């Protein structure tokens, strides 16, 4: 059974704090993603990684950075948390096997982050 | 500017009836369209997809219809069950960039027993 886990379900931080969100997948997937979900906006891609130590900016990377030192782990870092980063954060992973076909993304349960 | 739109934030349907969730898109370059389903406190799960070269794809109670000329797709659930109550996200992706999935804002479906 495929599994993507996220380190925390709920997190409360103060403005200016450095925040780490961790994601681990056990499916040996090459690609990993970080999204944030906000009402009325759906899921927006922050960063993704197509391999270890490789990363690419998504649509809303400002204020975030990522780290992928091992294939199974992808971390999202908020260098200095701000109130507008209060959101639900979702991690996902995806296999790249197969040619010319779309492979679904598998999502973790999400981390609800509140920045005060 | 949203490339994938779901204009109905919510929908209520009686158990046993048909649920129709609609989605519109603006980019004619999309190659695949996807539906994800999300329960509260869980991550989204993939439900069904359709290639842009097809106009229908069916999987059990779920059917997705694609009208390329109208840039419109819809998800039909027949018959609707209370367990189908969830938020449904329409999404689209291009072959040149499978990693960049564009999600719509979601429609919250309530199936009333």
């Amino acid at each position: 059974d495929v599994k993507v886990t996220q380190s925390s379900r709920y997190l409360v931080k103060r403005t200016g704090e450095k925040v780490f969100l961790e994601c681990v997948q056990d499916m040996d997937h090459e690609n990993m993603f970080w999204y944030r979900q906000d009402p009325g906006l759906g899921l927006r891609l922050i960063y993704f990684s197509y391999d270890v130590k490789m990363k690419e900016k998504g649509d809303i990377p400002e204020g975030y950075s990522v780290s992928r030192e091992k294939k199974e782990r992808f971390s999202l870092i908020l260098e200095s948390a701000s109130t507008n980063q209060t959101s639900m954060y979702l991690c996902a992973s995806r296999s790249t096997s197969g040619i010319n076909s779309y492979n679904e993304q598998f999502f973790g349960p999400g981390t609800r982050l509140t920045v005060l | 500017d949203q490339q994938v739109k779901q204009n109905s934030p919510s929908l209520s349907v009686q158990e046993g009836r048909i649920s129709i969730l609609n989605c519109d898109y603006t980019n004619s370059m999309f190659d695949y369209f996807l539906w994800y389903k999300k329960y509260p406190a869980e991550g989204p799960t993939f439900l069904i997809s359709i290639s842009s070269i097809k106009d229908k794809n069916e999987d059990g109670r779920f059917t997705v219809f694609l009208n390329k000329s109208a840039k419109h797709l819809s998800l039909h659930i027949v018959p609707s069950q209370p367990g189908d109550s969830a938020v449904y996200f329409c999404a689209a992706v291009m072959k040149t960039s499978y990693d960049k999935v564009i999600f719509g804002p979601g429609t919250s479906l309530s199936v009333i027993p």
Side-chain angles (χ1 to χ4, degrees), chain A residues 9 31 33 35 37 40-43 45 48 57-59 90 94 100-102 104-105 107-109, chain B residues 2 32 34 36 38 41-46 49 89 93 95 98-106:
Chain A
R9 296 302 297 269
N31 294 169
F33 308 83
Y35 293 89
Q37 181 196 351
L41 297 175
L43 279 70
L45 182 64
F48 69 97
K57 292 180 181 178
D59 299 317
L90 291 159
R94 175 180 165 263
N100 293 328
S101 67
Y102 174 77
E104 66 182 278
Q105 294 186 16
F107 284 85
Chain B
Q2 285 188 333
Y32 280 95
L34 324 160
Y36 277 81
K38 185 182 185 301
E42 293 183 18
T45 54
F46 172 75
S49 66
F89 292 101
V93 64
K95 256 193 298 196
Y98 277 143
D99 300 312
K100 286 208 167 185
V101 178
I102 311 295
F103 286 88

Side-chain angles (χ1 to χ4, degrees), chain B:
Chain B
D1 188 32
Q2 285 188 333
Q3 296 186 67
V4 177
K5 303 176 187 184
Q6 294 176 259
N7 293 321
S8 299
S10 62
L11 178 67
S12 282
V13 171
Q14 208 70 34
E15 180 179 3
R17 306 294 287 267
I18 183 171
S19 294
I20 300 176
L21 292 89
N22 292 305
C23 177
D24 297 292
Y25 61 95
T26 57
N27 190 340
S28 58
M29 302 298 290
F30 287 133
D31 295 294
Y32 280 95
F33 300 91
L34 324 160
W35 286 93
Y36 277 81
K37 175 180 176 178
K38 185 182 185 301
Y39 292 118
E42 293 183 18
T45 54
F46 172 75
L47 187 59
I48 192 168
S49 66
I50 187 167
S51 165
S52 62
I53 62 172
K54 304 216 167 148
D55 54 20
K56 179 182 172 181
N57 187 26
E58 196 171 346
D59 184 2
R61 295 186 297 115
F62 302 91
T63 303
V64 56
F65 296 92
L66 175 62
N67 181 335
K68 282 186 71 176
S69 60
K71 294 194 178 72
H72 177 84
L73 64 153
S74 59
L75 174 68
H76 292 214
I77 307 173
V78 184
S80 301
Q81 298 173 354
D84 296 328
S85 297
V87 176
Y88 290 80
F89 292 101
C90 175
V93 64
M94 285 185 271
K95 256 193 298 196
T96 52
S97 182
Y98 277 143
D99 300 312
K100 286 208 167 185
V101 178
I102 311 295
F103 286 88
T107 295
S108 178
L109 173 66
S110 296
V111 180
I112 304 158

Side-chain angles (χ1 to χ4, degrees), chain A residues 23-51:
Chain A
C23 174
V24 176
Q25 51 100 358
D26 65 359
M27 296 165 282
D28 202 36
H29 284 171
E30 294 82 6
N31 294 169
M32 294 188 76
F33 308 83
W34 275 106
Y35 293 89
R36 61 179 282 177
Q37 181 196 351
D38 299 289
L41 297 175
L43 279 70
R44 293 181 292 165
L45 182 64
I46 304 171
Y47 266 97
F48 69 97
S49 167
Y50 46 92
D51 207 342

